[in-house]
Amino acid sequence: TQDLDTFNLDLEGLAVEGVAVEGADTPFQHEGRELTIDPDAVLATGVETTVVVDYGGSPTPIQVGTDVFRVGWHTDGRDAYVVSEPAGAASWFPANDHPVDKARFRFEVTVPSDLGVIANGLRTTTEDAGAGRTTHVYEASDLMATYLASVVIGDLVFVEETAPTGLPLRSAYPRRLADAAATDFADTAAMLEVFERRFGPYPFETYGHVVADEVLGFALENQTVSIFGSDLVTGRGTIDAIVAHELAHQWFGNAVSPATWMDIWLNEGFATYAEWVWAEASGGRSIAESARATHARSDFGVPPGDPGPEELFQATVYLRGGLALYALSQEIGDEAFARLLPLWVERFGGGTASTDDLRMLAEELSGADLAGFFDEWVYGAELPPLP
Ligand code: ARG
Ligand code: ZN
């Protein structure tokens, strides 16, 4: 978007050996998270440039603010997994670690041959690397935000199926949890059908789940391969809401990513709403009942549209965010709302979108002026009464 004398990538805790821009050795500085690259010639607006960063070391996860979880590459020296939202990608590869800068990814992972590997996208080759090691290559052909890039390495059992819609499903579970996980994720294909009817075509080439052999206490919607903490797997089929939530993120969060982190409710509020859609479609309580029950809670201290870094993953973003979307459906009516969700993905898929983009699209479909509605539901300090 502009001529550059220098540019920056994010990379933390790893050592850079060299940088090449268009094949030429290029000076750089690396301080903390900032890798500043200073090419000889100005990089001109709109001209593609190839940058190669030669780097290495042992990644360590990154503390972001007061988050209870450190993000990025985790390993015990044998198994490894990656959970990066919001800013942990810089723990393992150099990038502009923000959702506005999506890319296609190719992973080439060499591990001891008794370990399995899964990453975003589809496995393209598995090759003997000698000395008891194997190289696994995965390629993800759709644009992806850096925080959704993930590799999991471990003693994994792979399950490969095809959904009735034709979508390849492939999952990987720690051996001891494989049976329990198969039970807990059994409704995935049925969810896909329900969500495709409401949200439009599933946006990527594959889907599946990986269970990290680690008590995470949460799941994360890594693109095409959502990751779950081992503690979530019960074997009793009790985690449908979370399974539906992470699947819905493939449309809302992954295909359409937040323009800024302030827009995180566009991920979490939509995924919460999708939990209610699945509950209703699978014979549970109606969307309206879910909204009423959620509205009765009181922990919505800050507005979902401006949570600040401390509340990025708190109830207001998820639940009040879901309520805001439900209220919007009531405000613009079922017919406009039914067109809104698939059109949102059609228009902004592959890129990012903001709360203003949502308001403008809803106004376009309904003909209503929604500025007041968004001020109350998304930016207002107080939770408004349900319509
Ligand atoms: N986006 C994930 C989900 O709602 C939650 C990620 C939590 N991440 C964190 N760093 N605390 O499914
Ligand atoms: Zn979520």
Side-chain angles (χ1 to χ4, degrees):
T1 56
Q2 68 181 84
D3 291 350
L4 296 175
D5 291 319
T6 68
F7 63 97
N8 288 37
L9 299 175
D10 300 299
L11 183 69
E12 193 168 335
L14 297 172
V16 178
E17 315 276 327
V19 176
V21 176
E22 289 303 319
D25 263 352
T26 301
F28 64 89
Q29 279 162 33
H30 191 197
E31 277 179 43
R33 195 183 162 90
E34 294 297 324
L35 174 61
T36 307
I37 299 169
D38 189 0
D40 282 349
V42 169
L43 302 183
T45 311
V47 177
E48 231 173 78
T49 302
T50 302
V51 179
V52 176
V53 179
D54 183 4
Y55 71 103
S58 303
T60 43
I62 297 172
Q63 180 70 48
V64 178
T66 57
D67 197 344
V68 291
F69 186 80
R70 287 181 308 144
V71 288
W73 182 285
H74 289 252
T75 183
D76 60 7
R78 184 180 146 85
D79 293 4
Y81 67 91
V82 177
V83 165
S84 290
E85 190 182 25
S91 74
W92 62 298
F93 59 89
N96 180 15
D97 190 8
H98 187 279
V100 288
D101 226 333
K102 294 192 181 189
R104 293 187 183 82
F105 286 71
R106 180 174 181 279
F107 306 89
E108 203 175 306
V109 186
T110 302
V111 296
S113 298
D114 59 334
L115 293 178
V117 175
I118 192 165
N120 315 92
L122 293 166
R123 183 198 295 267
T124 51
T125 53
T126 306
E127 244 169 35
D128 187 356
R133 300 176 314 156
T134 303
T135 299
H136 305 257
V137 179
Y138 277 82
E139 292 179 52
S141 50
D142 296 297
L143 292 172
M144 177 163 77
T146 49
Y147 77 91
L148 298 166
S150 184
V151 168
V152 176
I153 301 167
D155 181 18
L156 300 170
V157 174
F158 288 81
V159 180
E160 283 170 23
E161 295 160 297
T162 306
T165 59
L167 186 76
L169 300 174
R170 82 274 167 284
S171 293
Y173 310 127
R175 196 166 299 281
R176 66 187 173 83
L177 294 173
D179 290 343
T183 303
D184 286 350
F185 296 115
D187 287 338
T188 306
M191 290 175 187
L192 253 176
E193 284 193 66
V194 168
F195 288 171
E196 288 203 317
R197 234 173 11 244
R198 299 279 196 126
F199 311 152
Y202 176 79
F204 304 119
E205 62 203 316
T206 179
Y207 190 59
H209 304 97
V210 62
V211 175
D213 204 348
E214 183 83 38
V215 175
L216 299 177
F218 62 88
L220 175 72
E221 64 268 22
N222 288 332
Q223 192 155 304
T224 71
V225 59
S226 293
I227 187 169
F228 283 62
S230 59
D231 52 309
L232 300 188
V233 175
T234 64
R236 297 192 304 274
T238 51
I239 57 167
D240 258 22
I242 310 173
V243 177
H245 180 109
E246 306 311 333
L247 176 60
H249 272 312
Q250 304 302 315
W251 287 262
F252 308 116
N254 298 4
V256 183
S257 301
T260 74
W261 285 109
M262 279 227 298
D263 297 303
I264 183 75
W265 81 277
L266 300 173
N267 290 18
E268 303 305 344
F270 281 48
T272 297
Y273 182 84
E275 293 175 35
W276 303 344
V277 168
W278 171 249
E280 182 176 273
S282 58
R285 63 185 179 185
S286 70
I287 295 173
E289 281 163 349
S290 289
R292 257 196 305 281
T294 304
H295 193 270
R297 295 179 49 146
S298 57
D299 45 349
F300 305 132
V302 298
D306 190 9
E310 302 302 313
E311 303 256 349
L312 209 51
F313 300 112
Q314 298 306 314
T316 194
V317 166
Y318 284 72
L319 303 179
R320 202 179 140 181
L323 289 171
L325 190 60
Y326 172 75
L328 182 63
S329 74
Q330 302 302 297
E331 182 79 12
I332 67 176
D334 290 344
E335 206 182 303
F337 189 72
R339 293 170 58 207
L340 177 69
L341 295 182
L343 192 55
W344 176 248
V345 181
E346 218 179 285
R347 200 167 285 182
F348 297 104
T352 59
S354 66
T355 302
D356 261 353
D357 291 322
L358 180 66
R359 180 183 51 76
M360 290 187 288
L361 186 60
E363 288 179 339
E364 178 185 320
L365 289 172
S366 65
D369 175 352
L370 297 170
F373 174 90
F374 276 83
D375 279 348
E376 280 191 29
W377 276 97
V378 180
Y379 298 116
E382 298 293 324
L383 175 69
L386 269 188

